[in-house]
Amino acid sequence: MFKQYQWKRFPVRLIIYVIVLTMIGIAVVGSAQASVQDKQVMGMILGIGAMAVVSLFDYSFILKFNWLIYVGNIGLLLLVRFFGDEGLGAKRWFEIGSFRFQPSEVSKICIILFFAWFFGKYHEKINNWKVIVSSVILIFIPWFLIFDQPDLSTSIVAALIFISMIFIAGISYKIIGGILAVMIPAGVVFLALILQPGQEILEDYQVRRIMAFFQPEKYADNIHQQKNSIMAIASGQLTGKGLNNDAVFSVKNGNFIPEPQTDFIFAIVGEELGFVGAAIVILLLLLIVLECIMIGRKAKDLSGKLICVGVAAFIGFQAFINLCVVTGLMPNTGLTLPFVSYGLTSLVSLYITIGLVINVAMQPNKYRMGVHFS
């Protein structure tokens, strides 16, 4: 199992960035909601274990189970659809004792693995319409099951992962232009439809979040979280108020942000660690994404490159959307901040994706194997 590994290529920097960011997350989660800090620590321990295991199995071997991964993903999403626990009008979780398991987080890993194999196998025919249509149908099934939970935010990330991977696989710019020519007007029509009274495309709470972004005065009750988040970040100034502070004017201490340990954890980072702490978190996220991309450039084959690109897209886009939401630049989506927000399924899933990137990094690169992929 280890004979092809080059241990000198072990991505030490990537591991350091991930561990440091997770430890910052544990500290901030504990300040936001002390009762869940131990679970987050457990999530980190489980995540590191899962990362180690995944990194030791050659990804080429893992990709041999491509259709099993795909069908298993669909099966898991169907199980949660029919037998999942409902909360806030959505079926996204399984309750396992005191823990919640969210299949859509695992689904993002399955999407990365399956399409790393699919585009790796058909990259020479990537501009063939049969391959393009097949790939769109294959992504649409899990995407729709996530979207229909409903989980609009995760479905957006899943779509962005797929788009990033098919782009790197070599899809023609002419086809991209044609797709954009159709998708942009379709997006405008979609927006117009969901803003109509009585629409049934999105849930009412999703529409209110979107409307609150465009008409904050009319939908003030649906944007207060974002307003309070912006105030919290601004109040931290340069160095913040300190973790676990008891400041009277703290947005966190006043409970102005419900469940601050999840979607709006960056507001706590800004308030308690200030501009310095917020900048460090953003920098670490950026460095993790860049490391994944650089490792992908040296991958031994296209599938390895696509795994790294998929992971970079997963972490990068999810972080970008979360930060935009918390700072009021986008409508509220409900996405967590990678490695920082509370959530065991999310944290362990992220560590598994890092394990895949480590796996790619330690394989002999494309040049030494005498193969070059442009």
Side-chain angles (χ1 to χ4, degrees):
M1 177 165 46
F2 305 117
K3 63 180 180 180
Q4 292 293 330
Y5 280 19
Q6 296 182 349
W7 293 94
K8 64 181 180 181
R9 291 164 56 86
F10 187 80
V12 177
R13 288 197 305 269
L14 176 62
I15 302 301
I16 292 174
Y17 299 150
V18 168
I19 296 295
V20 171
L21 185 58
T22 306
M23 292 178 70
I24 292 173
I26 289 171
V28 179
V29 164
S31 181
Q33 183 65 267
S35 62
V36 299
Q37 189 176 38
D38 289 345
K39 291 183 181 179
Q40 192 73 347
V41 172
M42 183 181 296
M44 179 180 177
I45 295 170
L46 291 173
I48 291 174
M51 177 182 70
V53 171
V54 170
S55 68
L56 296 178
F57 286 90
D58 189 330
Y59 68 87
S60 299
F61 173 74
I62 296 174
L63 295 184
K64 290 180 179 179
F65 299 93
N66 44 79
W67 284 108
L68 182 61
I69 291 170
Y70 184 82
V71 173
N73 181 26
I74 301 302
L76 201 56
L77 292 172
L78 285 173
L79 279 175
V80 77
R81 178 185 177 90
F82 294 108
F83 304 106
D85 294 290
E86 189 168 346
L88 301 175
K91 278 190 177 182
R92 303 176 188 170
W93 308 273
F94 289 118
E95 292 282 354
I96 304 174
S98 59
F99 297 100
R100 267 186 165 186
F101 171 65
Q102 190 169 353
S104 59
E105 293 294 331
V106 178
S107 182
K108 286 180 276 191
I109 302 174
C110 295
I111 287 170
I112 291 170
L113 289 172
F114 178 78
F115 285 103
W117 165 79
F118 185 86
F119 293 136
K121 181 177 180 179
Y122 296 106
H123 72 276
E124 293 182 356
K125 300 179 181 178
I126 191 64
N127 294 308
N128 183 300
W129 280 104
K130 289 183 179 180
V131 174
I132 294 172
V133 171
S134 297
S135 66
V136 170
I137 292 172
L138 287 167
I139 187 60
F140 178 78
I141 298 171
W143 178 88
F144 177 78
L145 290 172
I146 295 170
F147 174 81
D148 199 49
Q149 289 180 354
D151 193 348
L152 177 61
S153 55
T154 302
S155 67
I156 291 172
V157 173
L160 290 171
I161 291 171
F162 172 79
I163 291 169
S164 300
M165 294 179 72
I166 196 171
F167 174 76
I168 296 299
I171 192 169
S172 168
Y173 285 100
K174 291 181 181 179
I175 295 176
I176 294 173
I179 293 172
L180 289 176
V182 174
M183 293 301 295
I184 293 174
V188 173
V189 172
F190 175 77
L191 185 61
L193 288 174
I194 64 174
L195 297 180
Q196 296 297 316
Q199 64 82 35
E200 297 181 355
I201 302 173
L202 298 180
E203 297 293 324
D204 287 342
Y205 77 90
Q206 293 173 325
V207 176
R208 288 196 299 270
R209 286 177 174 180
I210 295 172
M211 292 301 296
F213 180 75
F214 292 106
Q215 300 178 7
E217 298 83 7
K218 185 176 179 181
Y219 294 87
D221 290 343
N222 295 281
I223 202 172
H224 67 278
Q225 272 186 298
Q226 287 176 289
K227 287 184 175 181
N228 292 337
S229 171
I230 294 169
M231 286 192 296
I233 294 169
S235 70
Q237 299 186 40
L238 183 61
T239 58
K241 301 172 183 175
L243 291 171
N244 302 300
N245 72 80
D246 56 359
V248 176
F249 299 105
S250 167
V251 175
K252 180 204 73 177
N253 294 339
N255 294 319
F256 293 112
I257 302 176
E259 303 294 326
Q261 73 276 12
T262 55
D263 310 350
F264 283 83
I265 192 68
F266 190 73
I268 310 304
V269 172
E271 182 174 59
E272 302 198 340
L273 301 180
F275 174 80
V276 174
I280 289 173
V281 167
I282 293 173
L283 178 62
L284 286 169
L285 285 164
L286 176 61
L287 289 172
I288 290 169
V289 171
L290 290 176
E291 282 290 323
C292 291
I293 292 172
M294 288 189 288
I295 290 170
R297 292 184 64 185
K298 298 178 181 179
K300 70 178 183 181
D301 56 19
L302 181 58
S303 291
K305 179 189 290 187
L306 290 171
I307 287 174
C308 293
V309 168
V311 173
F314 171 16
I315 297 171
F317 283 120
Q318 183 157 321
F320 178 77
I321 293 171
N322 177 275
L323 293 172
C324 284
V325 168
V326 173
T327 53
L329 298 176
M330 287 178 64
N332 193 352
T333 60
L335 274 178
T336 56
L337 186 61
F339 299 106
V340 183
S341 294
Y342 168 70
L344 265 68
T345 310
S346 173
L347 188 57
V348 173
S349 297
L350 285 162
Y351 269 95
I352 289 173
T353 63
I354 297 299
L356 291 169
V357 174
I358 295 171
N359 194 315
V360 174
M362 293 195 296
Q363 303 289 329
N365 66 32
K366 55 191 176 186
Y367 301 109
R368 293 187 181 181
M369 293 187 70
V371 181
H372 175 69
F373 291 92
S374 56

